[in-house]
């Protein structure tokens, strides 16, 4: 074994795939059993990623159902004190305490400016000026709301006079009442308090 043995090996490691070409020189006469010179060529690893779905969510909605979208306000959790900071005394009384302004005193009872009437509390669009008509009652009147942005519910606050209250579908602000004596095509009269509205001209 005085002669040198040449061993050529190719090794593939599990974590980092590397090809080795090495020449090992065995020299039993030296303190080092062998000295090795090698040339290594590395290959880049490929990261494998897969979508993870959370229970209660869909592939198109990666967030769990219990997480609300950023910026979405929970109006049901707003206290009266917070509303008072946002609204005038009259606006608070009408929208949050179901009050009524006096006839012919509201800002919009006789307004004919083209535009959209929004909720004073949450800015949801409620009525278009094209559906506004002169009812002669002294309150802004409309025959149709925008989409499903206005909802109605039974109001029994006046004895022997049940009415249909109308509120904002988003923040539940009191708007007024709806009656069945309006013009075509709906036959409805949405009798609304000006203080619950904010008109944005076109």
């Amino acid at each position: 074994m005085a002669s040198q043995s040449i061993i050529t090996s190719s090794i593939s490691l599990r974590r980092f795939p590397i090809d080795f070409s090495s020449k090992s020189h065995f020299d039993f006469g030296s303190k080092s059993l062998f000295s090795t010179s090698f040339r290594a060529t590395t290959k880049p690893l490929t990261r494998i990623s897969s979508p993870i779905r959370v229970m209660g969510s869909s592939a198109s909605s990666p967030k769990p159902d219990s997480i609300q979208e950023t910026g979405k306000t929970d109006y049901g959790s707003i206290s009266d004190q917070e509303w008072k900071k946002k609204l005038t005394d009259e606006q608070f009384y009408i929208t949050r305490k179901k009050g009524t302004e006096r006839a012919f005193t509201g800002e919009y009872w006789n307004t004919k400016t083209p535009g959209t009437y929004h909720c004073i509390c949450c800015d949801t669009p409620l009525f278009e000026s094209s559906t506004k008509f002169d009812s002669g009652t002294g309150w802004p009147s409309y025959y149709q709301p925008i989409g499903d942005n206005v909802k109605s519910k039974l109001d029994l606050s006046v004895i022997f006079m049940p009415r249909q209250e109308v509120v904002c579908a988003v923040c539940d602000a009191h708007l007024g009442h709806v009656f069945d004596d309006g013009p075509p095509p709906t036959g409805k009269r949405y009798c609304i308090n000006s203080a619950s509205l904010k008109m944005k001209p076109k």
Side-chain angles (χ1 to χ4, degrees), residues 47-95:
R47 176 175 293 180
I48 300 175
S49 61
S50 59
I52 299 175
R53 292 178 59 184
V54 179
M55 184 178 293
S57 66
S58 63
S60 60
S61 177
K63 296 180 181 180
D65 294 339
S66 60
I67 298 178
Q68 295 184 352
E69 292 294 330
T70 303
K72 185 176 181 180
T73 303
D74 180 11
Y75 290 101
S77 66
I78 298 179
S79 66
D80 283 351
Q81 293 302 316
E82 291 176 295
W83 281 123
K84 286 181 179 180
K85 293 178 182 179
K86 176 181 174 63
L87 307 170
T88 66
D89 290 344
E90 184 182 30
Q91 290 168 348
F92 174 79
Y93 167 67
I94 291 172
T95 61

mmCIF file of all heavy atoms in Angstrom, residues 47-95:
data_model
loop_
_atom_site.group_PDB
_atom_site.id
_atom_site.type_symbol
_atom_site.label_atom_id
_atom_site.label_comp_id
_atom_site.label_asym_id
_atom_site.label_seq_id
_atom_site.Cartn_x
_atom_site.Cartn_y
_atom_site.Cartn_z
ATOM 1 N N ARG A 47 -38.262 26.772 -3.114
ATOM 2 C CA ARG A 47 -39.199 26.845 -1.984
ATOM 3 C C ARG A 47 -40.592 26.468 -2.457
ATOM 4 O O ARG A 47 -41.101 27.003 -3.427
ATOM 5 C CB ARG A 47 -39.228 28.258 -1.404
ATOM 6 C CG ARG A 47 -40.261 28.449 -0.287
ATOM 7 C CD ARG A 47 -40.185 29.794 0.327
ATOM 8 N NE ARG A 47 -38.922 29.951 1.048
ATOM 9 C CZ ARG A 47 -38.600 31.073 1.692
ATOM 10 N NH1 ARG A 47 -39.405 32.093 1.694
ATOM 11 N NH2 ARG A 47 -37.436 31.156 2.317
ATOM 12 N N ILE A 48 -41.195 25.576 -1.763
ATOM 13 C CA ILE A 48 -42.536 25.102 -2.118
ATOM 14 C C ILE A 48 -43.525 25.710 -1.148
ATOM 15 O O ILE A 48 -43.399 25.567 0.059
ATOM 16 C CB ILE A 48 -42.627 23.564 -2.054
ATOM 17 C CG1 ILE A 48 -41.615 22.950 -3.024
ATOM 18 C CG2 ILE A 48 -44.034 23.090 -2.365
ATOM 19 C CD1 ILE A 48 -41.544 21.448 -2.932
ATOM 20 N N SER A 49 -44.481 26.440 -1.684
ATOM 21 C CA SER A 49 -45.505 27.045 -0.832
ATOM 22 C C SER A 49 -46.871 26.559 -1.278
ATOM 23 O O SER A 49 -47.116 26.359 -2.452
ATOM 24 C CB SER A 49 -45.455 28.583 -0.926
ATOM 25 O OG SER A 49 -45.693 28.988 -2.249
ATOM 26 N N SER A 50 -47.767 26.399 -0.330
ATOM 27 C CA SER A 50 -49.118 25.941 -0.646
ATOM 28 C C SER A 50 -50.105 26.779 0.133
ATOM 29 O O SER A 50 -49.836 27.199 1.247
ATOM 30 C CB SER A 50 -49.294 24.459 -0.264
ATOM 31 O OG SER A 50 -49.060 24.285 1.111
ATOM 32 N N PRO A 51 -51.267 27.098 -0.453
ATOM 33 C CA PRO A 51 -52.264 27.917 0.253
ATOM 34 C C PRO A 51 -52.842 27.189 1.445
ATOM 35 O O PRO A 51 -53.120 26.006 1.400
ATOM 36 C CB PRO A 51 -53.339 28.163 -0.822
ATOM 37 C CG PRO A 51 -53.175 27.012 -1.770
ATOM 38 C CD PRO A 51 -51.715 26.682 -1.769
ATOM 39 N N ILE A 52 -52.993 27.928 2.554
ATOM 40 C CA ILE A 52 -53.548 27.353 3.774
ATOM 41 C C ILE A 52 -54.910 27.966 4.007
ATOM 42 O O ILE A 52 -55.055 29.173 4.068
ATOM 43 C CB ILE A 52 -52.624 27.633 4.979
ATOM 44 C CG1 ILE A 52 -51.251 26.993 4.736
ATOM 45 C CG2 ILE A 52 -53.244 27.087 6.260
ATOM 46 C CD1 ILE A 52 -50.250 27.322 5.810
ATOM 47 N N ARG A 53 -55.926 27.159 4.110
ATOM 48 C CA ARG A 53 -57.279 27.640 4.332
ATOM 49 C C ARG A 53 -57.678 27.489 5.786
ATOM 50 O O ARG A 53 -57.456 26.456 6.390
ATOM 51 C CB ARG A 53 -58.270 26.892 3.443
ATOM 52 C CG ARG A 53 -58.109 27.187 1.969
ATOM 53 C CD ARG A 53 -59.080 26.384 1.141
ATOM 54 N NE ARG A 53 -60.449 26.666 1.516
ATOM 55 C CZ ARG A 53 -61.486 26.037 0.989
ATOM 56 N NH1 ARG A 53 -61.312 25.103 0.078
ATOM 57 N NH2 ARG A 53 -62.708 26.325 1.372
ATOM 58 N N VAL A 54 -58.224 28.571 6.332
ATOM 59 C CA VAL A 54 -58.657 28.569 7.721
ATOM 60 C C VAL A 54 -60.109 28.133 7.781
ATOM 61 O O VAL A 54 -60.909 28.483 6.924
ATOM 62 C CB VAL A 54 -58.512 29.995 8.317
ATOM 63 C CG1 VAL A 54 -58.976 30.011 9.760
ATOM 64 C CG2 VAL A 54 -57.074 30.449 8.196
ATOM 65 N N MET A 55 -60.448 27.380 8.782
ATOM 66 C CA MET A 55 -61.829 26.921 8.930
ATOM 67 C C MET A 55 -62.762 28.124 9.013
ATOM 68 O O MET A 55 -62.537 29.051 9.774
ATOM 69 C CB MET A 55 -61.968 26.075 10.197
ATOM 70 C CG MET A 55 -63.368 25.478 10.366
ATOM 71 S SD MET A 55 -63.469 24.439 11.829
ATOM 72 C CE MET A 55 -62.383 23.103 11.370
ATOM 73 N N GLY A 56 -63.809 28.088 8.189
ATOM 74 C CA GLY A 56 -64.754 29.194 8.170
ATOM 75 C C GLY A 56 -64.495 30.176 7.061
ATOM 76 O O GLY A 56 -65.226 31.137 6.888
ATOM 77 N N SER A 57 -63.413 29.983 6.296
ATOM 78 C CA SER A 57 -63.120 30.873 5.188
ATOM 79 C C SER A 57 -63.124 30.096 3.901
ATOM 80 O O SER A 57 -63.068 28.869 3.893
ATOM 81 C CB SER A 57 -61.749 31.544 5.387
ATOM 82 O OG SER A 57 -60.724 30.564 5.330
ATOM 83 N N SER A 58 -63.186 30.833 2.782
ATOM 84 C CA SER A 58 -63.168 30.198 1.478
ATOM 85 C C SER A 58 -61.860 30.498 0.793
ATOM 86 O O SER A 58 -61.057 31.306 1.257
ATOM 87 C CB SER A 58 -64.336 30.737 0.631
ATOM 88 O OG SER A 58 -64.178 32.120 0.419
ATOM 89 N N ALA A 59 -61.649 29.863 -0.349
ATOM 90 C CA ALA A 59 -60.402 30.065 -1.069
ATOM 91 C C ALA A 59 -60.267 31.505 -1.524
ATOM 92 O O ALA A 59 -59.172 32.041 -1.599
ATOM 93 C CB ALA A 59 -60.339 29.126 -2.275
ATOM 94 N N SER A 60 -61.368 32.168 -1.827
ATOM 95 C CA SER A 60 -61.322 33.548 -2.285
ATOM 96 C C SER A 60 -61.296 34.534 -1.130
ATOM 97 O O SER A 60 -61.081 35.712 -1.321
ATOM 98 C CB SER A 60 -62.549 33.853 -3.158
ATOM 99 O OG SER A 60 -63.739 33.653 -2.426
ATOM 100 N N SER A 61 -61.516 34.052 0.083
ATOM 101 C CA SER A 61 -61.492 34.902 1.263
ATOM 102 C C SER A 61 -60.591 34.275 2.313
ATOM 103 O O SER A 61 -61.010 33.466 3.123
ATOM 104 C CB SER A 61 -62.912 35.065 1.824
ATOM 105 O OG SER A 61 -62.886 35.838 2.998
ATOM 106 N N PRO A 62 -59.287 34.656 2.325
ATOM 107 C CA PRO A 62 -58.334 34.006 3.208
ATOM 108 C C PRO A 62 -58.509 34.341 4.676
ATOM 109 O O PRO A 62 -57.900 33.733 5.526
ATOM 110 C CB PRO A 62 -56.987 34.547 2.696
ATOM 111 C CG PRO A 62 -57.320 35.849 2.061
ATOM 112 C CD PRO A 62 -58.692 35.678 1.472
ATOM 113 N N LYS A 63 -59.351 35.330 5.008
ATOM 114 C CA LYS A 63 -59.528 35.707 6.399
ATOM 115 C C LYS A 63 -60.660 34.912 7.031
ATOM 116 O O LYS A 63 -61.656 34.626 6.389
ATOM 117 C CB LYS A 63 -59.865 37.197 6.510
ATOM 118 C CG LYS A 63 -58.736 38.102 6.033
ATOM 119 C CD LYS A 63 -59.143 39.545 6.185
ATOM 120 C CE LYS A 63 -58.047 40.469 5.702
ATOM 121 N NZ LYS A 63 -58.427 41.882 5.848
ATOM 122 N N PRO A 64 -60.541 34.568 8.295
ATOM 123 C CA PRO A 64 -61.643 33.899 8.989
ATOM 124 C C PRO A 64 -62.860 34.792 9.010
ATOM 125 O O PRO A 64 -62.770 36.016 8.986
ATOM 126 C CB PRO A 64 -61.074 33.678 10.403
ATOM 127 C CG PRO A 64 -59.605 33.753 10.242
ATOM 128 C CD PRO A 64 -59.347 34.705 9.112
ATOM 129 N N ASP A 65 -64.043 34.157 9.074
ATOM 130 C CA ASP A 65 -65.285 34.913 9.040
ATOM 131 C C ASP A 65 -65.419 35.858 10.226
ATOM 132 O O ASP A 65 -66.114 36.854 10.155
ATOM 133 C CB ASP A 65 -66.487 33.954 9.030
ATOM 134 C CG ASP A 65 -66.528 33.134 7.749
ATOM 135 O OD1 ASP A 65 -65.905 33.575 6.763
ATOM 136 O OD2 ASP A 65 -67.158 32.076 7.735
ATOM 137 N N SER A 66 -64.761 35.535 11.337
ATOM 138 C CA SER A 66 -64.940 36.329 12.545
ATOM 139 C C SER A 66 -64.164 37.636 12.509
ATOM 140 O O SER A 66 -64.352 38.495 13.349
ATOM 141 C CB SER A 66 -64.491 35.525 13.773
ATOM 142 O OG SER A 66 -63.128 35.169 13.649
ATOM 143 N N ILE A 67 -63.290 37.807 11.523
ATOM 144 C CA ILE A 67 -62.485 39.011 11.435
ATOM 145 C C ILE A 67 -63.181 40.014 10.535
ATOM 146 O O ILE A 67 -63.482 39.720 9.390
ATOM 147 C CB ILE A 67 -61.074 38.706 10.897
ATOM 148 C CG1 ILE A 67 -60.346 37.751 11.853
ATOM 149 C CG2 ILE A 67 -60.271 39.991 10.726
ATOM 150 C CD1 ILE A 67 -58.971 37.367 11.387
ATOM 151 N N GLN A 68 -63.424 41.221 11.039
ATOM 152 C CA GLN A 68 -64.089 42.233 10.249
ATOM 153 C C GLN A 68 -63.083 42.932 9.351
ATOM 154 O O GLN A 68 -61.907 42.994 9.644
ATOM 155 C CB GLN A 68 -64.755 43.275 11.160
ATOM 156 C CG GLN A 68 -65.890 42.710 11.997
ATOM 157 C CD GLN A 68 -66.556 43.817 12.792
ATOM 158 O OE1 GLN A 68 -66.084 44.930 12.827
ATOM 159 N NE2 GLN A 68 -67.666 43.494 13.425
ATOM 160 N N GLU A 69 -63.584 43.453 8.224
ATOM 161 C CA GLU A 69 -62.726 44.178 7.315
ATOM 162 C C GLU A 69 -62.242 45.452 7.998
ATOM 163 O O GLU A 69 -62.950 46.101 8.757
ATOM 164 C CB GLU A 69 -63.500 44.542 6.042
ATOM 165 C CG GLU A 69 -63.870 43.328 5.182
ATOM 166 C CD GLU A 69 -62.656 42.645 4.597
ATOM 167 O OE1 GLU A 69 -61.661 43.336 4.349
ATOM 168 O OE2 GLU A 69 -62.702 41.425 4.417
ATOM 169 N N THR A 70 -60.983 45.816 7.673
ATOM 170 C CA THR A 70 -60.408 47.016 8.241
ATOM 171 C C THR A 70 -61.197 48.234 7.790
ATOM 172 O O THR A 70 -61.497 48.394 6.622
ATOM 173 C CB THR A 70 -58.943 47.157 7.794
ATOM 174 O OG1 THR A 70 -58.226 45.985 8.173
ATOM 175 C CG2 THR A 70 -58.303 48.383 8.423
ATOM 176 N N GLY A 71 -61.507 49.108 8.726
ATOM 177 C CA GLY A 71 -62.228 50.320 8.385
ATOM 178 C C GLY A 71 -63.729 50.197 8.503
ATOM 179 O O GLY A 71 -64.430 51.189 8.407
ATOM 180 N N LYS A 72 -64.246 49.046 8.693
ATOM 181 C CA LYS A 72 -65.687 48.868 8.824
ATOM 182 C C LYS A 72 -66.100 49.186 10.250
ATOM 183 O O LYS A 72 -65.606 48.609 11.199
ATOM 184 C CB LYS A 72 -66.078 47.442 8.455
ATOM 185 C CG LYS A 72 -67.584 47.214 8.450
ATOM 186 C CD LYS A 72 -67.931 45.817 7.988
ATOM 187 C CE LYS A 72 -69.424 45.598 7.972
ATOM 188 N NZ LYS A 72 -69.777 44.233 7.532
ATOM 189 N N THR A 73 -67.063 50.128 10.395
ATOM 190 C CA THR A 73 -67.465 50.597 11.711
ATOM 191 C C THR A 73 -68.637 49.783 12.252
ATOM 192 O O THR A 73 -69.603 49.519 11.535
ATOM 193 C CB THR A 73 -67.876 52.080 11.646
ATOM 194 O OG1 THR A 73 -66.786 52.844 11.124
ATOM 195 C CG2 THR A 73 -68.246 52.599 13.028
ATOM 196 N N ASP A 74 -68.539 49.413 13.504
ATOM 197 C CA ASP A 74 -69.640 48.744 14.191
ATOM 198 C C ASP A 74 -70.468 49.827 14.873
ATOM 199 O O ASP A 74 -70.189 50.234 15.999
ATOM 200 C CB ASP A 74 -69.091 47.745 15.209
ATOM 201 C CG ASP A 74 -70.201 47.022 15.964
ATOM 202 O OD1 ASP A 74 -71.369 47.148 15.550
ATOM 203 O OD2 ASP A 74 -69.891 46.337 16.954
ATOM 204 N N TYR A 75 -71.498 50.322 14.171
ATOM 205 C CA TYR A 75 -72.277 51.449 14.689
ATOM 206 C C TYR A 75 -73.074 51.072 15.932
ATOM 207 O O TYR A 75 -73.404 51.935 16.738
ATOM 208 C CB TYR A 75 -73.212 51.983 13.602
ATOM 209 C CG TYR A 75 -72.470 52.683 12.488
ATOM 210 C CD1 TYR A 75 -72.216 52.040 11.283
ATOM 211 C CD2 TYR A 75 -72.009 53.987 12.647
ATOM 212 C CE1 TYR A 75 -71.524 52.677 10.265
ATOM 213 C CE2 TYR A 75 -71.313 54.625 11.636
ATOM 214 C CZ TYR A 75 -71.072 53.965 10.444
ATOM 215 O OH TYR A 75 -70.381 54.597 9.442
ATOM 216 N N GLY A 76 -73.360 49.782 16.096
ATOM 217 C CA GLY A 76 -74.100 49.364 17.278
ATOM 218 C C GLY A 76 -73.327 49.538 18.567
ATOM 219 O O GLY A 76 -73.913 49.558 19.652
ATOM 220 N N SER A 77 -72.016 49.661 18.465
ATOM 221 C CA SER A 77 -71.181 49.789 19.664
ATOM 222 C C SER A 77 -70.878 51.246 20.023
ATOM 223 O O SER A 77 -70.216 51.517 21.023
ATOM 224 C CB SER A 77 -69.858 49.030 19.459
ATOM 225 O OG SER A 77 -69.093 49.641 18.434
ATOM 226 N N ILE A 78 -71.349 52.189 19.208
ATOM 227 C CA ILE A 78 -71.085 53.607 19.476
ATOM 228 C C ILE A 78 -72.020 54.104 20.576
ATOM 229 O O ILE A 78 -73.237 53.932 20.503
ATOM 230 C CB ILE A 78 -71.267 54.452 18.199
ATOM 231 C CG1 ILE A 78 -70.269 54.002 17.127
ATOM 232 C CG2 ILE A 78 -71.088 55.936 18.496
ATOM 233 C CD1 ILE A 78 -70.390 54.761 15.818
ATOM 234 N N SER A 79 -71.464 54.718 21.588
ATOM 235 C CA SER A 79 -72.251 55.189 22.728
ATOM 236 C C SER A 79 -72.920 56.525 22.413
ATOM 237 O O SER A 79 -72.558 57.221 21.455
ATOM 238 C CB SER A 79 -71.354 55.351 23.959
ATOM 239 O OG SER A 79 -70.413 56.399 23.740
ATOM 240 N N ASP A 80 -73.898 56.894 23.245
ATOM 241 C CA ASP A 80 -74.565 58.184 23.078
ATOM 242 C C ASP A 80 -73.577 59.337 23.202
ATOM 243 O O ASP A 80 -73.697 60.348 22.492
ATOM 244 C CB ASP A 80 -75.677 58.342 24.118
ATOM 245 C CG ASP A 80 -76.923 57.535 23.769
ATOM 246 O OD1 ASP A 80 -76.988 56.997 22.634
ATOM 247 O OD2 ASP A 80 -77.830 57.442 24.624
ATOM 248 N N GLN A 81 -72.619 59.197 24.094
ATOM 249 C CA GLN A 81 -71.630 60.256 24.271
ATOM 250 C C GLN A 81 -70.802 60.463 23.003
ATOM 251 O O GLN A 81 -70.468 61.599 22.638
ATOM 252 C CB GLN A 81 -70.710 59.921 25.454
ATOM 253 C CG GLN A 81 -71.402 59.934 26.815
ATOM 254 C CD GLN A 81 -72.049 61.284 27.108
ATOM 255 O OE1 GLN A 81 -71.457 62.342 26.865
ATOM 256 N NE2 GLN A 81 -73.272 61.251 27.649
ATOM 257 N N GLU A 82 -70.482 59.377 22.337
ATOM 258 C CA GLU A 82 -69.732 59.487 21.085
ATOM 259 C C GLU A 82 -70.577 60.109 19.989
ATOM 260 O O GLU A 82 -70.088 60.912 19.188
ATOM 261 C CB GLU A 82 -69.232 58.102 20.659
ATOM 262 C CG GLU A 82 -68.148 57.544 21.565
ATOM 263 C CD GLU A 82 -67.748 56.129 21.176
ATOM 264 O OE1 GLU A 82 -68.597 55.224 21.293
ATOM 265 O OE2 GLU A 82 -66.585 55.935 20.762
ATOM 266 N N TRP A 83 -71.861 59.739 19.930
ATOM 267 C CA TRP A 83 -72.752 60.340 18.944
ATOM 268 C C TRP A 83 -72.905 61.843 19.200
ATOM 269 O O TRP A 83 -72.976 62.641 18.252
ATOM 270 C CB TRP A 83 -74.116 59.665 18.967
ATOM 271 C CG TRP A 83 -74.193 58.351 18.258
ATOM 272 C CD1 TRP A 83 -74.576 57.145 18.779
ATOM 273 C CD2 TRP A 83 -73.915 58.102 16.866
ATOM 274 N NE1 TRP A 83 -74.527 56.172 17.807
ATOM 275 C CE2 TRP A 83 -74.130 56.722 16.633
ATOM 276 C CE3 TRP A 83 -73.496 58.909 15.805
ATOM 277 C CZ2 TRP A 83 -73.937 56.146 15.369
ATOM 278 C CZ3 TRP A 83 -73.303 58.328 14.556
ATOM 279 C CH2 TRP A 83 -73.521 56.968 14.347
ATOM 280 N N LYS A 84 -72.975 62.240 20.449
ATOM 281 C CA LYS A 84 -73.137 63.655 20.786
ATOM 282 C C LYS A 84 -71.941 64.483 20.332
ATOM 283 O O LYS A 84 -72.084 65.677 20.021
ATOM 284 C CB LYS A 84 -73.340 63.814 22.292
ATOM 285 C CG LYS A 84 -74.721 63.393 22.774
ATOM 286 C CD LYS A 84 -74.875 63.588 24.283
ATOM 287 C CE LYS A 84 -76.264 63.192 24.750
ATOM 288 N NZ LYS A 84 -76.422 63.370 26.223
ATOM 289 N N LYS A 85 -70.772 63.865 20.290
ATOM 290 C CA LYS A 85 -69.580 64.572 19.811
ATOM 291 C C LYS A 85 -69.623 64.763 18.294
ATOM 292 O O LYS A 85 -69.040 65.712 17.765
ATOM 293 C CB LYS A 85 -68.322 63.790 20.191
ATOM 294 C CG LYS A 85 -68.051 63.732 21.684
ATOM 295 C CD LYS A 85 -66.819 62.893 21.982
ATOM 296 C CE LYS A 85 -66.561 62.778 23.471
ATOM 297 N NZ LYS A 85 -65.374 61.928 23.776
ATOM 298 N N LYS A 86 -70.317 63.888 17.612
ATOM 299 C CA LYS A 86 -70.375 63.916 16.149
ATOM 300 C C LYS A 86 -71.548 64.749 15.619
ATOM 301 O O LYS A 86 -71.447 65.364 14.554
ATOM 302 C CB LYS A 86 -70.494 62.478 15.616
ATOM 303 C CG LYS A 86 -70.665 62.344 14.106
ATOM 304 C CD LYS A 86 -70.797 60.888 13.715
ATOM 305 C CE LYS A 86 -71.110 60.733 12.223
ATOM 306 N NZ LYS A 86 -70.013 61.247 11.380
ATOM 307 N N LEU A 87 -72.651 64.779 16.373
ATOM 308 C CA LEU A 87 -73.884 65.398 15.912
ATOM 309 C C LEU A 87 -74.231 66.658 16.689
ATOM 310 O O LEU A 87 -73.758 66.857 17.815
ATOM 311 C CB LEU A 87 -75.048 64.394 16.029
ATOM 312 C CG LEU A 87 -74.855 63.028 15.366
ATOM 313 C CD1 LEU A 87 -75.979 62.082 15.789
ATOM 314 C CD2 LEU A 87 -74.803 63.163 13.853
ATOM 315 N N THR A 88 -75.099 67.492 16.094
ATOM 316 C CA THR A 88 -75.658 68.622 16.839
ATOM 317 C C THR A 88 -76.722 68.080 17.797
ATOM 318 O O THR A 88 -77.127 66.915 17.695
ATOM 319 C CB THR A 88 -76.293 69.648 15.889
ATOM 320 O OG1 THR A 88 -77.439 69.046 15.251
ATOM 321 C CG2 THR A 88 -75.312 70.097 14.812
ATOM 322 N N ASP A 89 -77.180 68.933 18.698
ATOM 323 C CA ASP A 89 -78.202 68.494 19.655
ATOM 324 C C ASP A 89 -79.462 68.027 18.936
ATOM 325 O O ASP A 89 -80.069 67.013 19.307
ATOM 326 C CB ASP A 89 -78.537 69.634 20.618
ATOM 327 C CG ASP A 89 -77.395 69.937 21.580
ATOM 328 O OD1 ASP A 89 -76.482 69.083 21.700
ATOM 329 O OD2 ASP A 89 -77.405 71.031 22.187
ATOM 330 N N GLU A 90 -79.875 68.770 17.915
ATOM 331 C CA GLU A 90 -81.089 68.402 17.174
ATOM 332 C C GLU A 90 -80.885 67.107 16.401
ATOM 333 O O GLU A 90 -81.766 66.235 16.388
ATOM 334 C CB GLU A 90 -81.491 69.520 16.215
ATOM 335 C CG GLU A 90 -82.801 69.228 15.481
ATOM 336 C CD GLU A 90 -83.176 70.307 14.485
ATOM 337 O OE1 GLU A 90 -82.254 70.952 13.941
ATOM 338 O OE2 GLU A 90 -84.379 70.500 14.248
ATOM 339 N N GLN A 91 -79.740 66.968 15.752
ATOM 340 C CA GLN A 91 -79.452 65.744 14.996
ATOM 341 C C GLN A 91 -79.426 64.524 15.912
ATOM 342 O O GLN A 91 -79.945 63.467 15.559
ATOM 343 C CB GLN A 91 -78.115 65.885 14.271
ATOM 344 C CG GLN A 91 -78.137 66.872 13.118
ATOM 345 C CD GLN A 91 -76.743 67.201 12.605
ATOM 346 O OE1 GLN A 91 -75.737 66.876 13.245
ATOM 347 N NE2 GLN A 91 -76.678 67.856 11.449
ATOM 348 N N PHE A 92 -78.840 64.673 17.084
ATOM 349 C CA PHE A 92 -78.789 63.560 18.036
ATOM 350 C C PHE A 92 -80.195 63.205 18.517
ATOM 351 O O PHE A 92 -80.561 62.025 18.576
ATOM 352 C CB PHE A 92 -77.904 63.924 19.226
ATOM 353 C CG PHE A 92 -77.903 62.897 20.321
ATOM 354 C CD1 PHE A 92 -77.139 61.738 20.206
ATOM 355 C CD2 PHE A 92 -78.674 63.067 21.469
ATOM 356 C CE1 PHE A 92 -77.147 60.771 21.208
ATOM 357 C CE2 PHE A 92 -78.690 62.107 22.467
ATOM 358 C CZ PHE A 92 -77.919 60.949 22.327
ATOM 359 N N TYR A 93 -80.982 64.217 18.857
ATOM 360 C CA TYR A 93 -82.338 63.983 19.364
ATOM 361 C C TYR A 93 -83.189 63.246 18.335
ATOM 362 O O TYR A 93 -83.939 62.322 18.670
ATOM 363 C CB TYR A 93 -82.976 65.324 19.736
ATOM 364 C CG TYR A 93 -84.466 65.261 19.972
ATOM 365 C CD1 TYR A 93 -84.989 64.561 21.060
ATOM 366 C CD2 TYR A 93 -85.351 65.897 19.099
ATOM 367 C CE1 TYR A 93 -86.365 64.499 21.275
ATOM 368 C CE2 TYR A 93 -86.727 65.844 19.307
ATOM 369 C CZ TYR A 93 -87.226 65.141 20.395
ATOM 370 O OH TYR A 93 -88.590 65.067 20.594
ATOM 371 N N ILE A 94 -83.072 63.626 17.078
ATOM 372 C CA ILE A 94 -83.904 63.028 16.033
ATOM 373 C C ILE A 94 -83.400 61.650 15.620
ATOM 374 O O ILE A 94 -84.176 60.689 15.558
ATOM 375 C CB ILE A 94 -83.995 63.971 14.809
ATOM 376 C CG1 ILE A 94 -84.823 65.208 15.180
ATOM 377 C CG2 ILE A 94 -84.596 63.247 13.605
ATOM 378 C CD1 ILE A 94 -84.828 66.291 14.128
ATOM 379 N N THR A 95 -82.120 61.525 15.338
ATOM 380 C CA THR A 95 -81.603 60.265 14.787
ATOM 381 C C THR A 95 -81.377 59.183 15.823
ATOM 382 O O THR A 95 -81.584 57.993 15.549
ATOM 383 C CB THR A 95 -80.280 60.505 14.034
ATOM 384 O OG1 THR A 95 -79.293 61.029 14.950
ATOM 385 C CG2 THR A 95 -80.471 61.481 12.890
#
